[in-house]
């Protein structure tokens, strides 16, 4: 592709993207293709000869677009709603062109130092102290795995060299709640602690970790000769966005000398709002914390911000420089490859920088507050309706509830099936995509509000669809 062709195709592509970002709601939000449709529509062999970009784009529209579930659609309210915002899209485009690989400071001084600057901006926006050093990983799952490696490094002598097995080391334990994201399960599995080392502490009526039960579990383990190494409280759990009592957990961790890793992947950015600053109370005492701009900060997937007050421990666990990567400036600069498994790092900070500058913190705060307002509005309609039952508090922008018709007496199993059916009916509209969870055994509908362009009209639409579809279910 020469530069004239690039210019021509690039302009056409930018036009396509601009239309898409403005009108993504032209498409059904949840893809309607059947399994294998995409595979069957494409040739089994790569082409031997060059094909024009227009032809490739035609196939993109014909074959791939129907197979997209539109996460960038304002009716996307499943899982956590996210946004690939325009400045972030431009930044990713530019980043691909620059193809920076910031393993060492010298392989990209700009990417290395912009990462430091943008993470400091974000840290101050959410009110974390400057003692936290940041690094960008792809996802919160990877950030949490790195936190667990650091906790292991801090707690078990010579673990980097000698590992855990075949020597005199006690069994270790990690604590989270029964609502914690499955990434912590995968982390303990991946780093060889074993799934049985994870203790799921019960939660209270608001789905928040019971700190008393945490203390008891730690005491039991100590009495049994088990070594507690980490506690993972969450600010904004995946099912209900519940908030664990981080200040109390911080007290326990300080007293017991245990690594505290706060999973604020979803909820952390809400601390940008003065009204929600308290969400991160106690997090200033964390050893590490993860916040995901790719969840609720309008950043195209993927970009996860990991902060630690003890990045020296992370480096002690991971720094390893083969001869061919030695540099004369190593003592006076940061080399991003020292802070994790990954050697190569792409220029992710560019998109966060462009987003924060393009919108400004005031406008971002206004959108976050608006999402919280929209969730409160939906909550008020649910609470006022005799046929709907709310199943969890709504601290942020996710609402959990079920249909439970007042005039029909249905068993729990029938209610589960009816609610599954209701979700399918809403999703078949093409306008809205919602998902489910299970709370205290009950099939629960989750409406997650978080896309940049979601408005009152979209929330009204989901409510109308729920009312209409539940009538037809009767
Ligand atoms: N933590 C929480 C609370 C989550 O809800 C999620 C995903 O939804 C994760 C961690 C994992 O996020 P990621 O996809 O960035 O690994």
């Amino acid at each position: 592709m020469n530069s004239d062709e690039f210019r021509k195709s690039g302009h056409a592509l930018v036009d396509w993207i601009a239309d898409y970002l403005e009108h993504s709601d032209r498409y059904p939000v949840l893809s309607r293709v059947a399994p294998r449709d995409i595979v069957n529509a494409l040739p089994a062999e790569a082409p031997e000869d060059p094909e024009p970009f227009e032809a490739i784009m035609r196939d993109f529209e014909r074959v791939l677009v129907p197979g997209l579930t539109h996460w960038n659609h304002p009716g996307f309210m499943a899982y956590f709603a996210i946004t690939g915002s325009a400045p972030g899209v431009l930044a990713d485009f530019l980043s691909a062109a620059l193809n920076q690989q910031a393993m060492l400071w010298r392989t990209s001084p700009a990417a290395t130092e912009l990462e430091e600057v943008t993470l400091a901006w974000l840290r101050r926006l959410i009110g974390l102290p400057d003692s936290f050093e940041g690094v960008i990983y792809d996802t919160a799952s990877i950030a949490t795995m790195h936190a667990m490696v650091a906790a292991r490094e801090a707690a078990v002598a010579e673990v980097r060299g000698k590992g855990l097995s075949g020597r005199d080391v006690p069994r270790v334990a990690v604590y989270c709640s029964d609502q914690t994201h499955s990434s912590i399960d995968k982390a303990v599995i991946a780093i060889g602690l074993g799934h049985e080392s994870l203790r799921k502490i019960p939660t209270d009526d608001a789905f928040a970790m019971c700190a008393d039960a945490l203390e008891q579990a730690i005491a039991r383990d100590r009495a049994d000769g088990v070594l507690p190494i980490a506690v993972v409280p969450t600010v904004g759990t995946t099912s209900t966005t519940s908030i664990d009592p981080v200040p109390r957990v911080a007290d326990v961790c300080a007293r017991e000398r245990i690594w505290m890793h706060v999973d604020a992947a979803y909820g952390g950015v809400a601390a940008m709002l003065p009204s929600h600053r308290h969400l991160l109370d106690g997090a200033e005492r964390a050893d590490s914390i993860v916040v995901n701009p790719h969840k609720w900060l309008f950043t195209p997937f993927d970009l996860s911000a990991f902060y630690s007050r003890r990045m020296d421990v992370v480096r002690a666990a991971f720094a390893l420089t083969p001869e061919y990567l030695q540099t004369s400036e190593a003592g006076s600069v940061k080399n991003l490859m020292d802070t994790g498994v990954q050697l190569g790092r792409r220029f992710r900070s560019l998109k966060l920088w462009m987003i924060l500058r393009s919108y400004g913190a005031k406008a971002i705060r206004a959108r976050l507050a608006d999402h919280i307002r929209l969730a409160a509005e939906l909550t008020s309609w649910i609470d006022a309706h005799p046929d709907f039952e709310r199943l969890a508090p709504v601290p942020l922008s996710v609402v959990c509830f079920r249909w439970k018709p007042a005039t029909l007496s249905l068993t729990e199993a029938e209610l589960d099936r009816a609610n599954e059916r209701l979700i399918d009916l809403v999703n078949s509209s093409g306008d809205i995509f919602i998902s489910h969870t299970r709370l205290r055994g009950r099939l629960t509908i989750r409406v997650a509000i978080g896309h940049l362009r979601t408005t009152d009209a979209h929330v009204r639409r989901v409510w109308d669809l729920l009312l209409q579809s539940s009538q037809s279910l009767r």
Side-chain angles (χ1 to χ4, degrees):
M1 187 180 272
N2 64 33
S3 75
D4 283 344
E5 285 166 348
F6 179 82
R7 227 177 274 281
K8 189 165 150 267
S9 304
H11 287 149
L13 186 59
V14 168
D15 284 341
W16 193 95
I17 293 172
D19 278 348
Y20 179 72
L21 292 179
E22 197 177 350
H23 302 295
S24 55
D25 44 0
R26 279 188 196 141
Y27 301 96
V29 53
L30 177 62
S31 170
R32 291 172 171 163
V33 297
R36 311 298 295 169
D37 277 1
I38 309 294
V39 169
N40 293 335
L42 294 170
E45 309 284 341
E48 286 292 331
D49 296 314
E51 299 187 47
F53 197 71
E54 293 79 14
I56 302 170
M57 279 303 286
R58 273 198 300 278
D59 282 348
F60 164 72
E61 293 221 50
R62 183 180 61 84
V63 181
L64 298 185
V65 170
L68 298 173
T69 287
H70 292 277
W71 289 75
N72 232 359
H73 185 302
F76 190 108
M77 301 183 192
Y79 316 112
F80 281 122
I82 60 176
T83 310
S85 65
V89 170
L90 290 176
D92 260 354
F93 192 25
L94 184 54
S95 164
L98 300 170
N99 209 21
Q100 295 294 283
Q101 204 280 49
M103 56 185 179
L104 296 165
W105 176 85
R106 71 163 57 176
T107 63
S108 185
T112 305
E113 296 191 12
L114 189 67
E115 184 157 324
E116 181 176 330
V117 171
T118 51
L119 288 184
W121 286 5
L122 178 62
R123 182 181 66 220
R124 289 181 182 161
L125 285 172
I126 61 175
L128 279 181
D130 288 353
S131 49
F132 281 84
E133 183 182 341
V135 63
I136 295 177
Y137 295 127
D138 53 359
T139 58
S141 303
I142 293 300
T144 292
M145 192 197 77
H146 283 80
M148 291 307 102
V149 172
R152 189 184 62 178
E153 177 75 20
V156 182
E158 297 185 284
V159 69
R160 172 174 162 142
K162 295 196 162 67
L164 285 173
S165 63
R167 67 188 184 114
D168 190 17
V169 174
R171 297 241 1 132
V172 300
V174 172
Y175 306 80
C176 63
S177 90
D178 58 23
Q179 297 296 308
T180 305
H181 187 260
S182 54
S183 52
I184 183 67
D185 298 68
K186 289 197 180 180
V188 298
I189 294 167
I191 71 165
L193 305 184
H195 207 185
E196 286 174 17
S197 68
L198 190 60
R199 311 281 190 258
K200 302 225 169 161
I201 305 300
T203 46
D204 62 16
D205 290 346
F207 300 95
M209 184 192 283
C210 297
D212 291 343
L214 170 69
E215 289 190 279
Q216 286 155 17
I218 292 172
R220 255 193 323 273
D221 276 334
R222 291 239 192 255
D224 290 345
V226 174
L227 178 65
I229 66 165
V231 183
V232 185
T234 305
V235 174
T237 57
T238 312
S239 283
T240 69
T241 73
S242 59
I243 318 289
D244 286 336
V246 178
R248 279 218 49 204
V249 175
D251 289 343
V252 175
C253 288
R255 194 180 63 232
E256 300 276 345
R257 296 176 175 274
I258 303 176
W259 189 283
M260 180 168 87
H261 172 65
V262 177
D263 180 352
Y266 163 71
V269 295
M272 281 178 69
L273 296 167
S275 57
H276 288 70
R277 188 44 65 96
H278 62 273
L279 288 173
L280 290 183
D281 282 355
E284 72 284 353
R285 293 154 70 200
D287 295 284
S288 58
I289 174 168
V290 60
V291 178
N292 268 5
H294 72 221
K295 279 197 166 48
W296 203 9
L297 202 59
F298 316 123
T299 305
F301 193 76
D302 47 13
L303 194 165
S304 182
F306 175 79
Y307 292 99
S308 181
R309 281 193 302 137
R310 300 173 70 187
M311 206 61 98
D312 55 318
V313 181
V314 178
R315 290 198 175 87
F318 289 107
L320 195 158
T321 312
E323 178 56 38
Y324 42 84
L325 296 178
Q326 305 277 355
T327 59
S328 53
E329 70 273 12
S332 57
V333 296
K334 282 184 194 165
N335 290 323
L336 289 175
M337 69 173 199
D338 291 343
T339 40
V341 171
Q342 196 179 343
L343 175 69
R345 309 277 176 142
R346 63 194 194 86
F347 199 173
R348 286 197 180 84
S349 58
L350 191 61
K351 54 187 166 183
L352 188 53
W353 185 63
M354 289 199 175
I355 288 165
L356 292 175
R357 291 191 61 183
S358 295
Y359 293 123
K362 270 193 224 144
I364 291 173
R365 283 191 203 97
R367 288 309 295 147
L368 297 178
D370 207 44
H371 290 154
I372 293 169
R373 176 190 65 79
L374 290 170
E377 197 144 24
L378 176 63
T379 302
S380 70
W381 301 335
I382 290 166
D383 289 350
H385 200 292
D387 289 348
F388 284 85
E389 177 187 31
R390 194 147 57 78
L391 294 177
V394 182
L396 295 164
S397 68
V398 173
V399 190
C400 292
F401 59 97
R402 67 175 175 174
W403 181 58
K404 188 167 182 265
T407 53
L408 293 178
S409 103
L410 301 177
T411 65
E412 284 297 319
E414 286 166 341
L415 281 172
D416 281 2
R417 277 200 300 282
N419 277 280
E420 260 165 7
R421 185 82 194 104
L422 183 53
I423 292 171
D424 287 345
L425 286 171
V426 169
N427 289 345
S428 67
S429 69
D431 296 345
I432 298 287
F433 178 28
I434 55 177
S435 60
H436 81 283
T437 188
R438 197 171 279 280
L439 296 176
R440 311 287 184 235
R442 295 166 178 160
L443 197 293
T444 304
I445 302 176
R446 259 176 105 265
V447 172
I449 298 164
H451 188 269
L452 188 64
R453 291 197 303 111
T454 297
T455 61
D456 291 81
H458 300 100
V459 178
R460 169 53 70 183
R461 178 77 181 131
V462 72
W463 182 236
D464 287 346
L465 282 168
L466 284 161
L467 293 177
Q468 284 160 23
S469 308
S470 59
Q471 280 313 310
S472 72
L473 266 185
R474 274 176 176 278

